[in-house]
Amino acid sequence: MSFRAKLFLVFLATVLTWVGLVAGIVTQYTRAAFEDLDAQRTEALVAQFKKEYAQRGEEVAHQVENIANAEITLRMALDLARPNADQSLYVRDAMGAAQDHGLDFVEFVNSDGVLISSAQYPARVGYKNDWVTAGKDWRETGAFLKREELPDGVALSLSVVRMLPVGAKNFYIIGGRRLDQNFLASLVLPTGMRALLYRNLEPDFVSTSLTDAGGEVQQAERFAPIIEEIQKRPQPLVHTINWSQDAGEAETFHAMPLTSPNKELLGVLLVGSSRRELVLLTRRIGWIAGAVGGGALFIGLLLTLWVSARITRPVEELAEGAREVASGNWDAHIRVRGGGEIAQLAKAFNEMTATLASQREQLVQTERVAAWRELARRLAHELRNPLFPLQITVENLQRARQLDAKQFLEVFTESTATLKAELANLNTIVGRFSDFSKMPTPHFTRVNVNESLRNAVRLFEAQFNAVGKPVIAPEYFLTEPLPEIDADADLLHRAFQNLVLNALDAMPAGGTLTMRTSEHDGNVRIEVADTGKGLTPEECSRLFTPYYTTKQQGTGLGLAIVQSVVSDHHGTISVTSDEGHGTTFRIELPQRQAGHPHVSKVEADAAVTPSASAAAAAASD
């Protein structure tokens, strides 16, 4: 990942984190503020309900007291207090009193609890209302909720009881008004709020018992869980109803139980508050946060491009300069812009390349001198061995001149044979050095690596089971099929031959010669392993150095030739060794050579020069 991308991601993460954090805090604060406001509005509405409830109760109490203080009521009470009074004369008086005083319910009850007259349920006249005569003093009692039995059902009443003393007896007047949608209509509701009343006059939930200021409530069955919960535990409850998948349609209801003086649950007041304002406000905060985040990201992108341009461009130029130095252009130079650490780095790079350029020539000259010294040392070492016998032979010939003809002839014959042998040895040494100095240019064709490796091993089959020598067992682990590669078949065969010969020399006591081939990332890998005594790390590091050898005999050019062939094929060669357990040579060659035409093996053989053929056929050491 580039520095520009990393910088943008860091800025993106920072902006999103802070915008999300601020948006979350603002949303949470807004939600809390809305909940507080909703609670305040609910409390205000409940207080208004209680005030209206108390005011309505006072009105009912006032009207009931007016009935009790009326002359007609007094005469009725006095008449009914006499023995054997005719109660039927007053059956319809409650209806007139209700109409005159604007009450929905009016009943007159005698001192023995017998119902004398009922405006709402005349058929109950003669029944006893024992709860009225239970000994309670009704003179100072305020309004209370009461379940009213009606001919066609039940109703919820806000009732007041007053008693009229007549001698030792009491005459009771009960009056009340309905608690229904008309009562709710008298409430002043804030925007987004509504009040509902459930008359809990049946044992189970009845949807028609739920009403609001407009009458019937839509989807009243959705309130059943709230009502049932309060029926189980008559205490305030808060519940949210999601009317649809749109969160803005949800409503939060504060439910408060309404009970009678004996703690009987007679109704439930539900104050609903719409969540639309909160949802819209939350969405607006989200949109604003998104817009702020988008703007910040756009600005951040511009800042990222600007910062990265000022930072990454010099770094990229520095990297390009380093690649040029790595490719061999030690005179690479990058431009220095502005100041700061990047400019100092560019100046240091330019100073480094200038120093490298000045030191390169010294290094090249030193290497040339060292190479010539090493070549001279090796050549002197190789030539010294045959020159010493030549010197001795010449000295013998000089001394033989004093001998007779027969003895001189014997010395001469022996000396000339020695001279010929040592001169041939000198010619061989010079030829080997000449072969290494003029390795032929590869002629690439399609080559089967497995077949080439088998052919190289096949040349030494006679040595594997030679009589009187330890046995060497070849083992093949070759991948089939293996892609053909672009290579010079003769040079590749010569390299394999040198590796096999080196492995055989490493196993004088016998062992196992293992050949492996495989394909890795577009390259072909060849491994040649032996089970000899192995090499030390120092020997491994110097193994491919020309003229370096671990053998008592040899020029040390065999593995150097292998490395030269592999390098000409744009491949790599490495060695790993476990001292005492064996050595493994690993070659990796590309399957295709860039810039070289693919010719057939026959055309390549026809194009090989005599010198190249001779070099490829030369014996390796």
Side-chain angles (χ1 to χ4, degrees), residues 271-509:
V271 178
S273 177
S274 175
R275 311 288 291 182
R276 179 173 296 277
E277 293 182 4
L278 176 62
V279 172
L280 293 178
L281 185 58
T282 303
R283 290 176 180 173
R284 184 172 299 176
I285 293 173
W287 294 336
I288 294 175
V292 172
L297 291 180
F298 178 73
I299 296 174
L301 179 61
L302 297 180
L303 288 176
T304 300
L305 295 176
W306 180 75
V307 172
S308 62
R310 291 184 59 86
I311 296 178
T312 59
R313 187 176 300 165
V315 173
E316 290 175 354
E317 292 179 357
L318 186 63
E320 181 62 27
R323 283 191 288 270
E324 291 185 12
V325 172
S327 64
N329 181 16
W330 289 19
D331 295 326
H333 186 272
I334 61 176
R335 291 182 297 174
V336 179
R337 297 187 180 92
E341 291 80 0
I342 299 297
Q344 294 178 5
L345 184 60
K347 292 179 180 178
F349 179 84
N350 292 335
E351 293 175 358
M352 179 193 70
T353 55
T355 303
L356 289 176
S358 63
Q359 292 178 349
R360 180 183 59 177
E361 187 62 28
Q362 299 177 4
L363 181 61
V364 170
Q365 294 179 1
T366 303
E367 288 179 348
R368 288 174 179 173
V369 172
W372 280 110
R373 287 178 178 176
E374 181 65 17
L375 178 61
R377 187 183 67 82
R378 286 290 179 179
L379 189 59
H381 174 74
E382 295 295 333
L383 294 178
R384 186 178 291 112
N385 291 334
L387 286 177
F388 181 73
L390 287 176
Q391 181 181 357
I392 297 299
T393 302
V394 172
E395 291 177 354
N396 289 337
L397 284 175
Q398 290 176 346
R399 288 194 296 268
R401 292 179 58 186
Q402 301 176 1
L403 301 176
D404 55 32
K406 182 177 180 180
Q407 291 177 336
F408 176 79
L409 183 59
E410 292 177 359
V411 173
F412 180 79
T413 302
E414 181 180 354
S415 297
T416 53
T418 302
L419 289 174
K420 288 182 179 180
E422 296 303 328
L423 288 174
N425 189 15
L426 282 174
N427 187 55
T428 301
I429 293 172
V430 173
R432 289 175 179 174
F433 279 92
S434 177
D435 289 343
F436 179 71
S437 65
K438 54 181 180 181
M439 290 290 293
T441 302
H443 295 272
F444 295 107
T445 63
R446 294 288 177 85
V447 175
N448 187 318
V449 174
N450 289 344
E451 188 62 28
S452 179
L453 190 60
R454 289 191 188 96
N455 291 336
V457 176
R458 197 174 294 122
L459 296 176
F460 302 95
E461 287 182 349
Q463 301 182 31
F464 294 158
N465 298 294
V467 178
K469 291 186 177 181
V471 177
I472 296 178
E475 292 184 354
Y476 294 92
F477 298 93
L478 309 180
T479 299
E480 295 289 356
L482 190 68
E484 291 185 343
I485 66 171
D486 295 340
D488 187 309
D490 293 332
L491 292 179
L492 197 62
H493 176 81
R494 182 178 180 183
F496 291 162
Q497 181 180 347
N498 280 345
L499 288 177
V500 173
L501 182 59
N502 186 80
L504 294 179
D505 291 342
M507 297 184 290

Side-chain angles (χ1 to χ4, degrees), residues 52 56 178-187 211-213:
E52 186 67 23
R56 187 70 59 92
R178 291 178 181 271
L179 198 64
D180 55 9
Q181 66 187 62
N182 294 325
F183 180 81
L184 296 177
S186 65
L187 301 177
T211 184
D212 59 10

Side-chain angles (χ1 to χ4, degrees), residues 241-251 276 279-280 283:
I241 298 179
N242 296 309
W243 298 108
S244 65
Q245 294 182 350
D246 184 6
E249 299 294 332
E251 278 186 286
R276 179 173 296 277
V279 172
L280 293 178
R283 290 176 180 173

Side-chain angles (χ1 to χ4, degrees), residues 484-536:
E484 291 185 343
I485 66 171
D486 295 340
D488 187 309
D490 293 332
L491 292 179
L492 197 62
H493 176 81
R494 182 178 180 183
F496 291 162
Q497 181 180 347
N498 280 345
L499 288 177
V500 173
L501 182 59
N502 186 80
L504 294 179
D505 291 342
M507 297 184 290
T512 302
L513 175 64
T514 305
M515 280 70 64
R516 291 186 178 87
T517 59
S518 58
E519 182 182 4
H520 289 274
D521 299 330
N523 296 333
V524 171
R525 178 179 294 177
I526 305 102
E527 294 183 3
V528 178
D530 61 65
T531 57
K533 64 179 181 178
L535 301 171
T536 65

Side-chain angles (χ1 to χ4, degrees), residues 128-178:
K128 296 189 71 172
N129 288 343
D130 294 332
W131 63 272
V132 181
T133 60
K136 185 174 182 179
D137 186 1
W138 295 103
R139 286 175 294 185
E140 301 298 332
T141 303
F144 59 90
L145 286 180
K146 180 177 177 296
R147 174 190 178 95
E148 292 290 350
E149 298 288 343
L150 303 176
D152 56 351
V154 291
L156 186 61
S157 169
L158 182 60
S159 301
V160 174
V161 178
R162 291 292 180 264
M163 60 185 184
L164 181 62
V166 181
K169 298 181 180 180
N170 292 321
F171 186 73
Y172 299 93
I173 303 96
I174 306 172
R177 288 180 180 174
R178 291 178 181 271

